């Protein structure tokens, strides 16, 4: 939702559904998009890992748009905090 307030279109769409949220990758499909779960319970590990990777890419995109350097050594929440504190 932060992308909405920062007015940045994300490369990978986030589908908000409380504890069952998803990341949709429309770039590597035929237009319908693959969805990956952002929840661990009852999902394959590789799908969850892919969702986390895509979420990290979205955070990196937000940082680049605002001229901030993405630090892969920091956790995602710390990088989000950097975005919020500098925008």
């Amino acid at each position: 939702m932060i992308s909405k307030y920062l007015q940045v279109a994300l490369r990978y769409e986030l589908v908000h559904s409380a504890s069952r949220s998803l990341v949709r990758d429309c770039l590597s499909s035929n237009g319908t998009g693959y969805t990956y779960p952002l929840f661990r319970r009852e999902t394959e590990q590789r799908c969850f890992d892919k969702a986390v990777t895509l979420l990290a890419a979205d955070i990196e995109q937000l940082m680049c748009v605002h001229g901030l350097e993405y630090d892969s050594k920091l956790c995602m929440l710390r990088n989000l905090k950097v975005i919020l504190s500098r925008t």
Side-chain angles (χ1 to χ4, degrees):
M1 289 185 68
I2 192 173
S3 65
K4 176 182 171 184
Y5 299 113
L6 296 176
Q7 299 176 347
V8 176
L10 294 176
R11 183 176 303 138
Y12 305 106
E13 179 186 1
L14 298 176
V15 180
H16 307 285
S17 182
S19 65
R20 298 290 185 184
S21 295
L22 306 166
V23 178
R24 182 173 292 140
D25 181 6
C26 295
L27 300 176
S28 64
S29 68
N30 58 4
T32 58
Y34 296 114
T35 56
Y36 300 97
L38 278 170
F39 52 93
R40 180 65 196 109
R41 182 174 260 177
E42 300 173 5
T43 62
E44 292 183 32
Q45 182 68 39
R46 67 177 183 79
C47 292
F48 174 74
D49 291 343
K50 179 71 173 183
V52 171
T53 301
L54 296 178
L55 181 61
D58 279 345
I59 294 170
E60 183 176 3
Q61 178 188 357
L62 285 172
M63 293 185 81
C64 288
V65 165
H66 289 282
L68 303 171
E69 189 170 329
Y70 181 78
D71 189 352
S72 61
K73 296 175 187 170
L74 296 178
C75 68
M76 282 189 272
L77 289 176
R78 182 74 85 167
N79 280 312
L80 282 174
K81 183 178 178 183
V82 170
I83 294 171
L84 292 173
S85 66
R86 304 240 176 113
T87 56

